[in-house]
Amino acid sequence: MAGDPLCDRDYEALATFRYELRRFVRFSEEAAIAAGLTPQHYQVLLTLRASPDGAMLVGALAGRLLLRPHSTTELVNRLEKLGLVERHHAPDDRRKVHVAISAQGRAAITSLAAHHRAELRRMRPMLERLLGSM
Amino acid sequence: MAGDPLCDRDYEALATFRYELRRFVRFSEEAAIAAGLTPQHYQVLLTLRASPDGAMLVGALAGRLLLRPHSTTELVNRLEKLGLVERHHAPDDRRKVHVAISAQGRAAITSLAAHHRAELRRMRPMLERLLGSM
DNA sequence: TTGCTATAGTTCGCATTACGATATAAGCGC
DNA sequence: GCGCTTATATCGTAATGCGAACTATAGCAA
């Protein structure tokens, strides 16, 4: 499972990988804030935007964000208040709540996501080199 | 800078990449806790272990962890109390404090780092596929 | 119909955590 | 001495996700 014992280079690769991850997350946080969003907002909007119909159930969203449902509810509350998402009760099962990204939400992440893609493209050679050295 | 406008697949790739990052971080947190450490402890120990002589100045450690120096000081305090790191004043410049991983610290991360490498090896094809699709 | 159980979402209070601001102390070079 | 750097200490703050408990809806069984 763990494979051969790790040598110095392995530790370096693991540490550098983590460092680059921290840098990417930091980049993402700053980019979100510069766009008037919180980092969490961006992650919700991105997840919804990537969903087939731009909407997800609260529970499914929680699973994708690795959050508890009630934490997701609070996050959605804030986003709804900002007009970035909308809640729609499912007609067939009124327990279910669809969280849909709004037009404003789409507009908000368009350039933000583009910046993230650009950053990942920049990081790509380094990440591939690091992954390849493990 | 931002390149061509993003299509649905681009958003999917970005969202899935973030999801996998969250999963890796979650894995790391749980692995650290299972080893009797906090996630922060693991990151410090890994960073020190990857350093040439197993030691770093507080300021350099802060830079690598993307923390403020005083936050790093508190983190080091807790680690020192647990016997996982040691402080050594530099003989040439007594302002500087080298934070060195202890034998106990090394022992603590040996199998933990191995599990991380195994997890990253498992994730590697997926991450490369995602990076390649951007 | 009644009752039990499960699911989906929400509400409330709490604990964690790194931070900003600020201060202190000590050591270095000029 | 003076200015700069490095590390440490302290205090309050603000955000954020969690556990526990709650409501509402749905499904099922006798």
Side-chain angles (χ1 to χ4, degrees):
Chain A
M1 179 173 310
D4 357 290
L6 276 63
C7 67
D8 287 356
R9 284 196 175 282
D10 293 317
Y11 287 105
E12 286 172 33
L14 284 171
T16 303
F17 185 77
R18 271 315 266 266
Y19 172 64
E20 294 298 338
L21 245 51
R22 284 190 289 270
R23 298 243 309 176
F24 174 69
V25 170
R26 171 66 59 95
F27 161 85
S28 179
E29 291 171 353
E30 290 175 351
I33 290 170
L37 301 176
T38 72
Q40 291 79 11
H41 291 169
Y42 168 65
Q43 297 200 53
V44 171
L45 294 180
L46 178 63
T47 303
L48 292 177
R49 177 63 183 79
S51 185
D53 49 355
M56 292 176 76
L57 297 182
V58 172
L61 188 57
R64 196 72 176 169
L65 296 173
L66 299 188
L67 294 178
R68 300 294 167 196
H70 66 274
S71 302
T72 307
T73 292
E74 297 172 353
L75 195 45
V76 170
N77 286 343
R78 293 174 235 148
L79 284 157
E80 193 181 28
K81 203 161 293 182
L82 292 172
L84 298 169
V85 304
E86 297 161 358
R87 275 189 168 94
H88 302 289
H89 280 272
D92 58 316
D93 184 341
R94 293 194 48 79
R95 292 172 302 179
K96 298 181 179 175
V97 172
H98 288 277
V99 182
I101 186 170
S102 68
Q104 187 184 337
R106 282 178 187 260
I109 60 159
T110 298
S111 79
L112 196 46
H115 278 85
H116 277 76
R117 188 182 60 172
E119 174 71 4
L120 282 173
R121 280 179 174 171
R122 197 188 60 75
M123 295 177 65
R124 185 174 144 186
M126 173 187 10
L127 291 178
E128 284 176 345
R129 186 181 55 76
L130 283 170
L131 286 169
S133 70
M134 295 186 186
Chain B
M1 180 177 312
D4 358 290
L6 276 64
C7 66
D8 287 357
R9 284 197 174 280
D10 293 318
Y11 287 106
E12 286 172 33
L14 283 172
T16 303
F17 185 78
R18 272 314 266 267
Y19 173 64
E20 294 299 337
L21 248 49
R22 284 191 289 270
R23 297 241 314 173
F24 174 69
V25 171
R26 170 66 58 95
F27 161 86
S28 179
E29 290 172 353
E30 291 176 349
I33 289 170
L37 301 176
T38 71
Q40 292 81 8
H41 292 169
Y42 169 65
Q43 298 200 54
V44 172
L45 293 179
L46 178 63
T47 303
L48 292 177
R49 176 63 184 81
S51 185
D53 49 355
M56 292 176 75
L57 298 182
V58 173
L61 188 56
R64 195 73 175 170
L65 295 173
L66 299 188
L67 294 179
R68 300 294 167 198
H70 72 277
S71 302
T72 307
T73 293
E74 297 174 353
L75 195 45
V76 170
N77 287 344
R78 293 174 234 147
L79 283 157
E80 194 180 28
K81 204 162 291 181
L82 292 171
L84 297 169
V85 304
E86 297 161 0
R87 275 186 168 95
H88 301 291
H89 280 271
D92 60 316
D93 186 342
R94 293 193 52 77
R95 289 171 304 179
K96 298 180 180 175
V97 172
H98 288 278
V99 182
I101 187 170
S102 69
Q104 187 184 336
R106 281 177 187 260
I109 59 159
T110 299
S111 79
L112 196 46
H115 278 85
H116 276 76
R117 188 183 60 174
E119 175 71 5
L120 281 173
R121 281 179 174 171
R122 194 187 63 71
M123 295 176 66
R124 185 175 144 185
M126 175 187 8
L127 291 179
E128 285 176 345
R129 184 180 56 75
L130 283 169
L131 285 169
S133 70
M134 294 185 184

